[in-house]
Amino acid sequence: MMRPKATYVRPGTLTEAVDLLQDLDDRCKLLAGGTDVATELRSGAIRGRCLVDLSALPELKGIHEAEEELVIGSGVTLSEIASSAGVARGAPALAKAAAVFGSRQIRNMATIGGNICRASPAGDTLPPLYVQDAELELTSSSKTRRVSIRDFIQGPGRIDLKAGEILKCIRLKKAADFTMHRFDKIGNRKALAVSIVNLAGLVALSPDGIIQRIRLAWGSVAPTVVRSSRVEAFLTGKPLRMETLDQAYPLVQDAISPIDDARASAAYRRRVAVGLLFRLTTQQESPDSIMDIA
Amino acid sequence: MNMKEIKKIGRNWLRRDAAEKLRGNPVFCADLTLENPLTLKVLRSTHAHARIKRIDVDRASRTQGIARIFTAADIPGKNLAGIINKDHPLLVPDKVRHVGDAIALVAAETETAAERALQAIQVTYEDLPVIRDPEEALKEDAPRIHETGNLLFTRKIKRGEVERAFDDCAVVVEKTYRTSFLEHAYLEPDAGAGYVAADGTLVIYASTQNPHYDHGEVASLLGVAHEKVRIIQAATGGGFGSKLDLNTQGFIGLALYYLGRPVRYVYSREESFLATAKRHPLTITIKTGTDSQGRLMAMRARILCDTGAYGSYGIAVASRAAVHATGPYEVPNVDIEALCVYTNNPFAGAMRGFGAPQAAFAFESQMDLLAGELGISPLEMRRQNALREGSFTGTGQKLTASVGIRDCLNAVKPFYERVMEKWRHDPAPTFKKRGVGLGAMWYGIGNTGLQNPSTAQIEMDPEGSVTLYTGCADIGQGSTTVLSQIAGEMLGLSPGAIRAVVADTKYTTDAGATSASRQTYISGNAVKDAAGKLVEILLTEASNLLKRPKESLIVDSGLIRDKNDPEKTVPVTDIVRRAHEKGLSLKCQGSFDPVTEPLDPETGQGVPYATYAFACHLAQVTVDVLTGEVEVNRIVAAHDVGKAINPAGVIGQIYGGVAMGIGFGLMERYVPGRTVSLNDYDIPTCKDMPDIVPIVVESAEPTGPYGAKGVGEPALIPTAPAVLNAISDALGERIYTLPANLERVLEAAVAAGVFPGSHGVKQPA
Ligand SMILES: Cc1cc2nc3c(=O)[nH]c(=O)nc-3n(C[C@H](O)[C@H](O)[C@H](O)COP(=O)(O)OP(=O)(O)OC[C@H]3O[C@@H](n4cnc5c(N)ncnc54)[C@H](O)[C@@H]3O)c2cc1C
């Protein structure tokens, strides 16, 4: 395959970066961890005329925890998210997604900003961000704006990123008032797998097991992550039991629109979308639970 | 030989190349230092079946940095290669038979220049009908992929009266099993490099499993004398069968022949996926019957092997699948037919097990189905039918020794009983089901009913140092270590003290392919033979000198001494000097060719192999009925290897085999036209690996070196059947197509009615 000639720049501050972007044409590609960009350059899926490396920008780094809010820099790696006490407190489902993301090597390189901007239907940080109604902060040389993740992601690989803009950070309301924080991912193998279906779920349960509030977001079952107000409304006020979830089966089927692809059929995804819902009735296993097998 | 004296055999020896590998020293083709080398690249067909009307290289030849572009017309010798049947052109002259067929070879100053030239070559195709399905290919009016027709080979095995036997059977089960194309996915993609030596010899380094085959093939393609070619095996990062074919060697040779400049060709992972052999997908329809006691009485099987565009090792795969279709069991009446068929799929060749893994999936599923019908435990079913000394196989071979299948079953038995008693029935987590399964196998060591000799030399120099010359390619499995252990044992030397000259066709003679789990058994014997002859010379001389009977003398650590009188010694170097003075050569030739008898073309009766390896795996799995995820919790793997020359090496093979078996059983599938690279071809990761309990069973083979047989391929074969039987045990529903991926397991769960809720049965909207 032909490797395109790419010029490469690595600005040292956000101001420098946005100024630079202003002068470059939109065939320049932003580069964070490069775990998507590098593979896309190799396959020829993208042909950047130049690469603007964001990895040295201090403004994109760090996780800041406030009283009610968590602010995650777009350049924060998945490893940092997986090991952050702030994320474990304020967004446990996201922490779980980060823990099972790719492999250690990938987690050390890949950033949350890259995962959002790649806008893959299977992106693993997306469902946890959808259930917490994440807001994204975008910066250009002329202005800074905020947009909800639902509006930002428009389709597979399509995002509302204007010319000259950089995703600066992600703002989340802490999900402290939920009793269950779940993330589940189904892939062809136990690591280094693209999600065939994933599901993030937040549930506030009353002491007698009634769902008081619930938020669900499925990945890889539609062009973008699916949240369904109908499903959530239907389940609210009902006991978290198999019978209840079983009744939601047709509503879930209506909400999703999966396709057949190389990894699985639409029929498989439809069934597993509900299968993962049923899993809410069980204790979530810790990823490395050891079973007595002898 | 007195067993007490054996010190080098059966001990864990660090791989001879271990330290070197850890330091990053071994030189792979990609790392060879060459003076100003050219880069090679091949233009590959984008059409699956088409006549080539025109290849226009004019514009491409004029692009910058191009040394030359070659097409079929430039091949000076015979433009057909293939280890069993010669049907594979190096560059296609007139038609392409699969996507990936080689059309033109570019030699360029840089990789970019080569890429640019590839894009500038214009090929005019005239499409022909494409055949993807081997059943279609067999039809009377199917377009011919090769002039000779689409049926490449048939292997029949007939013994007894099958129809009559079925009539008398109490239980009969007939099913069809299917497997997929697989990619070998070795760590190092195919690579080669070379230069022309001062004397005009074309020196070719290759990542290869069979340097002497490469040698003959390159000489034939170029139409040059044998001495004009030298093949050196470079460090080789795995092969699993695919590096038995000519991959880059012919291209390197062609460029050297014309250009005389150093060249290199390293496949990208994508090219390795596109252009090299795959595992044959097999369709196996098998009918098996037993009497009311569960004794196997009859089997009929029809096996269809899709060999894709070229034969490669297809004939061997069909033959071996047929011979092994009975499993390691006595079946008095058999009627087996295996067809090897051309299609326009990627060509399929050798891959760890040559059809035996596919066959084992079928016969081991049958064993469980029969056991179920009969109400016998799967373990008892296998134990009572297992081959033993004195048994006849389907080819009419009487087994006389080293039939370790019962020992393997017995080794697994306590584990089986314990997990069936407790683990299997302890409550599983919600929405999960546990299952236990067995998979047994047999595997004939070496080529099927063919001569497959190995040769070796051992030389002692005047200082008493020993050099082992072997053509046996070590591709990471550790054969050089094992062969050094054998030589060391014979000569009373540490294996590490023996210099090894390996797989260089200038200095070593043919040891045959590193395939068919044959090198420990066959090359091990050849080395032992050579070393034995050297010992004989030394002891004869020493006997004259010491005036002691030869029988009482031994060689040990540089001395020859009398076993009965330890004071009576003479340094080996003294003997060597005497021998040299007498003009005796201390370079000894060794050889070995296992005794086989060709299979009769009509009945398949004969002696395909001199010895067989046996194994049984026990699999414990947990199946998630919501998602189809399968966790393989543990594999207990008992292997009869005859004798473990290097136990650590045997155990390493078992671990690797289990990993590959899990891939074969649960996730791997190469889809022609769609699968591109490791990006979309999933192989197991360390997280997918179960606990493994390896058990080495040693049922000594009288004709093996120190009793050894082989383990390379056997390690992989039982895993997938054991896992599939365990899934079936967990769900109460069987899967007949590999891989048993998420989708198929979930379908089985739905069919079994274990998907929870009220929507389990009907397909959702
Ligand atoms: C082996 C492997 C395993 C993987 N496993 C997973 C997995 O388990 N789950 C999963 O979801 N993904 C996985 N991926 C995909 C990939 O790692 C993720 O999408 C990752 O989060 C991308 O982040 P990055 O920093 O590497 O992004 P990059 O590759 O650098 O960029 C990705 C995209 O985002 C844009 N971009 C990056 N940062 C910004 C910014 N600040 N502002 C605007 N645009 C920006 C880039 O221009 C590019 O279009 C895997 C990839 C590989 C190679």
Side-chain angles (χ1 to χ4, degrees), chain A residues 29-40 46 54 60 74-75 78 100-103 106 109-118 120 122-125 138 152 159 161 165-168 185 192-195, chain B residues 679:
Chain A
K29 193 76 195 163
L30 299 181
L31 177 78
T35 58
D36 280 318
V37 170
T39 54
E40 288 167 346
I46 55 172
L54 306 178
L60 307 190
S74 70
L78 272 299
V100 296
F101 194 103
S103 63
I106 292 293
M109 292 301 293
T111 64
I112 185 168
N115 200 233
I116 294 169
C117 293
R118 169 66 184 83
S120 160
D124 282 322
T125 69
L138 302 155
F152 182 71
I159 51 175
L161 186 77
E165 272 185 343
I166 289 176
L167 170 60
K168 183 170 175 237
K185 150 176 185 172
L192 283 169
V194 177
S195 285
Chain B
N679 208 7

Side-chain angles (χ1 to χ4, degrees), chain B residues 396-410:
Chain B
Q397 177 179 2
K398 186 176 179 183
L399 300 179
T400 54
S402 188
V403 189
I405 180 61
R406 250 156 232 284
D407 298 339
C408 292
L409 292 165
N410 288 341

Side-chain angles (χ1 to χ4, degrees), chain B residues 416-432:
Chain B
Y416 183 75
E417 285 169 349
R418 194 148 147 241
V419 295
M420 287 308 279
E421 209 164 280
K422 189 161 160 45
W423 183 85
R424 169 71 177 78
H425 298 288
D426 279 352
T430 321
F431 303 130
K432 302 217 174 173

